[in-house]
Amino acid sequence: MRGTFLAAAIFIALGVIAQGFWFPADARISLEKCTLCHGKPEFRKILVDGKIRDLFATADSLKGSVHEKKTCVDCHFDVSEIPHRQRPQRVTCTHCHYKGNAEGAPQSDAYLEYFGSVHGNAIAGGNTKAPLCQDCHGNHSIHKTKDPTSAVSRGNVAETCGRCHIEIYAVYKTSIHGVAVSQGIPEAPSCTGCHGEHKIYAHKDPKSTVFATHVAAQCSTCHGSVSIMSKYGIEAEQVTTYQNSFHGVASGFGSRTVANCASCHGVHDIRPSEDPRSMVNPKNIPATCGKCHPGANPNFAVGKMHVDSHSKESGIIYYTAQFFKYLTIGTMLALIAHIFLDMYGRTRRLRGDK
Amino acid sequence: MSANDKKESKQDTLEREVESVVDEETAGLDPAEAGRIREKVRARVLEEVERERRIRTAAERRAEERRRREEKRRERLHEEGEMFERFNRNFRFQHIVMFTSVIILVITGMPIKFPEFVLSRFLVNMWGGIHNATIVHRIGAGMLIYFMVHHLFYTVFSRQGRRDFILLIPTPKDARDAVQNVRHFLGKTGEKPRFGRFSYIEKFDYWAVYWGCVIMIGSGVFLWGEEIVLKFFPKYVLDVAHEMHSDEAMLATLAIVIWHFYNVHFNPDRFPGTLMWWHGQISEHEMKEEHPLEYEEIMAKRSKQKAAEVPNP
C-alpha cells in the first residue's frame, strides 16, 4: 500500500517535470493573450495627472525593430498571469544587453558607461524623470543607430534629447550645427557629437567632454581636421591659432576661467560670424569679449581674432614676426661664431701654436 | 662654586694635561732642552687661551672674523696684486635686481611660449597654476621696470653713472678691437686688442639689455593694460605687441643663456663664474689682462696725484 503510493507520487512528479520539456511554450503567455486587451486601439489609461498613457500594442509594434523576433514576455518577464494584477515593472534592458549574453544581443558593455553618467546618477538618486535606455532608444520601435528612422540616429537624436531639454533643442535647431544636421550633412554634430553617447556628464564635471578645459579638444576633433573642414570651406587653422594664443595656452595649463571656443562662439547657438545674431559678429564682439574684459569696445573687433603670425595676411604682425626672426637668427649666428672663434683660439694657444 | 672658579679649574686641568703630555714627550731629552720646550708650549698655550678670551663676545668674534678675512685677502693680494673696485655698490644692486627679475620673467614667461616643453607644466604648476604664474610674471615685470627707472636715474644723477655711460658709447675703436680680436683668435696676430674700461663685448651686452628692456617693457605694459590699450588702439596693435614680446623674449633669453653665460660662466678663464657681481672687485692681474688701458689710466692718475702731494721743500 505504502510502496504503491510512493511509486504513484514519483510517477506524478516525473510527469510534472517532464511537462516542462515537452510543452515549453505553454508555460509562457502567448502574444495572442496580450493582444486580447492591448490589441484594442482604445486601450489606454488616464493617469492621475490627467495624462493619457496609450497602452495599444500589437504584433506589428515590434515589426521592423531589432527586437522583431522577441515576444512581449521576453522583455516584460514579470508578467506571469493574464490579466496582470499590477502594473508591470519598467523593462530592464541589461537583462540581455551585457557582454557575454546568450540572447543574441550585441556583445557590448556600452551600457556600463550609462551608470556613471549624469542620467544614470540621476536615476540612482531617485529622479523618476531621468531617462532610462528606452527613453532615448524607444520602447517597441527600437532601430539600429545607422537606421534613419531610429530615435537615436544622427538626424533624430537632437529631437529625442529635446523631448526633455526643450529650450536647448530650440536654440540648437537654428544654430549652424542644427541646420547642417537637418540638411543631412554627415559630419555635422548632433547632441551626441559633442556630449558623448552613453557617458554624458554635466558640463561642470571634469569627466565631461564639454568641461571648460576639454571644449577646445572636443571642437578640434572636427575643426582641426583639414579633410573635413576643407569640404565646407572652413579654415582648420583656427584650432592652432587658438592653441598658440594666450587663451589656448592658459586653457591647456588647466585654467577654467580663460576663454575656450564656446566662451566666444556660443554653446548651442553657434552661428557663422556673418549672422547678425552670432556672438562673434563684429557688432556683438564688444558684448562677447565684455563678459571677461569689462569695458570692451568695438576696437576688439578691429583686426583678425584668430591671428597667425606666420601667414602673410596678418599684415603688420607678419612683418614684425619676420623682423624679429631675422634679427634673432643674425644676432645669434654672430654671437655663436664669436664664441666658437674664441674657443678655437684658446685651443690653438693651449696646443702651443702662436 | 662660581662661574669664575669653574673656568679657573678648567684652565688648571688643561694646564695639567698639557704638562703631562710634554713630560711624556720630553722624557728622553736632557733637562735643559726639556725646560726650553716646556716654556715654549706654555707660552703657546697661554697665547691660545688669551685668544679664546679675546673673541669671547659676539662683537669680538666678528672683529676676529674680519681680521682673518683681511689676512686671507692680503695673502691673495700677494698673487693677484691690488684689488680695484670695478662695479660700485649701486651698480651691483642694479645688476642683482635685474637678473632676479629676468630669471622670474623667463621661468614664468617661457612656458607660455612653449607649452609643450617638458618643463613648462612643472614651471607653471610650481606657482599653483597659470593664473598665479601670470601674477608672478607681473611681479618680475615690476622689478624690471624699477631697475630701468633706477638705472636711468643712476645714469643721469650719479658721477660714476654718467662717466660709465659715456665710456659705454660705441666708438670706431670697438670695431677695430673686434676685428683684431677675431684675427687674434685665428692666430693672424699675436697681440690681443687692448681694452679700456669696457670692451666691445661688454658694450654689446649693455646695449642689448637697453634694447631688450625698451622692447619688453614697452610691449609688456601694452599687454598688461590691454583693456585700457583697447580703448584707444585697435586689436592688431595688441597683436603686434604680443608678437614683439614673445620674439624679443626669445632673443633676450638666447643672448643671456648662450652669449652672456659663455662670457661670464663657461669661458675657461671664468668657469664656473666669479663673484665680481657680488663684491665688485677686480684684481690687478685681471685688470692688466683685460682692461689694460683703464689700468694704465688709473696708474697715471695715481702718479700724478703723488707728484702733487710731494710737499714743496
Side-chain angles (χ1 to χ4, degrees), chain B residues 64-78:
Chain B
E64 178 71 5
E65 195 66 23
R66 217 174 298 132
R67 198 180 60 75
R68 274 198 209 140
R69 238 189 352 242
E70 193 66 19
E71 240 167 49
K72 227 170 154 186
R73 209 179 69 86
R74 227 174 283 135
E75 269 170 33
R76 207 175 52 210
L77 212 69
H78 190 66

Side-chain angles (χ1 to χ4, degrees), chain B residues 179-233:
Chain B
V179 172
Q180 195 186 342
N181 211 11
V182 171
R183 279 168 58 82
H184 172 68
F185 294 153
L186 293 170
K188 295 266 162 57
T189 166
E191 280 173 56
K192 266 176 75 172
R194 287 162 62 78
F195 297 126
R197 179 157 165 79
F198 298 110
S199 69
Y200 70 93
I201 294 170
E202 288 158 325
K203 286 185 185 181
F204 174 83
D205 279 1
Y206 181 81
W207 291 108
V209 172
Y210 236 100
W211 160 257
C213 274
V214 168
I215 298 281
M216 294 310 283
I217 293 175
S219 60
V221 163
F222 261 55
L223 294 169
W224 194 340
E226 52 179 358
E227 277 150 24
I228 301 165
V229 169
L230 277 169
K231 282 205 171 71
F232 307 104
F233 299 100

Side-chain angles (χ1 to χ4, degrees), chain A residues 251-326:
Chain A
S251 174
F253 282 127
S255 171
R256 299 174 195 183
T257 47
V258 85
N260 54 49
C261 313
S263 316
C264 305
H265 292 275
V267 184
H268 297 113
D269 56 339
I270 301 169
R271 291 165 206 279
S273 58
E274 303 85 56
D275 188 329
R277 284 173 299 169
S278 167
M279 280 171 78
V280 291
N281 185 282
K283 256 191 355 205
N284 298 333
I285 282 219
T288 303
C289 297
K291 289 194 292 186
C292 301
H293 301 278
N297 61 7
N299 273 340
F300 275 71
V302 183
K304 217 174 157 210
M305 201 53 76
H306 283 264
V307 65
D308 177 14
S309 62
H310 301 297
S311 77
K312 247 186 169 154
E313 293 90 71
S314 307
I316 185 166
I317 299 151
Y318 169 78
Y319 293 108
T320 312
Q322 291 296 308
F323 168 71
F324 274 101
K325 185 173 144 195
Y326 290 111

Side-chain angles (χ1 to χ4, degrees), chain B residues 276-292:
Chain B
M276 203 196 280
W277 61 273
W278 180 253
H279 56 56
Q281 307 279 317
I282 186 169
S283 69
E284 195 174 348
H285 172 75
E286 274 178 301
M287 196 75 169
K288 280 181 189 164
E289 191 74 17
E290 300 185 5
H291 306 283

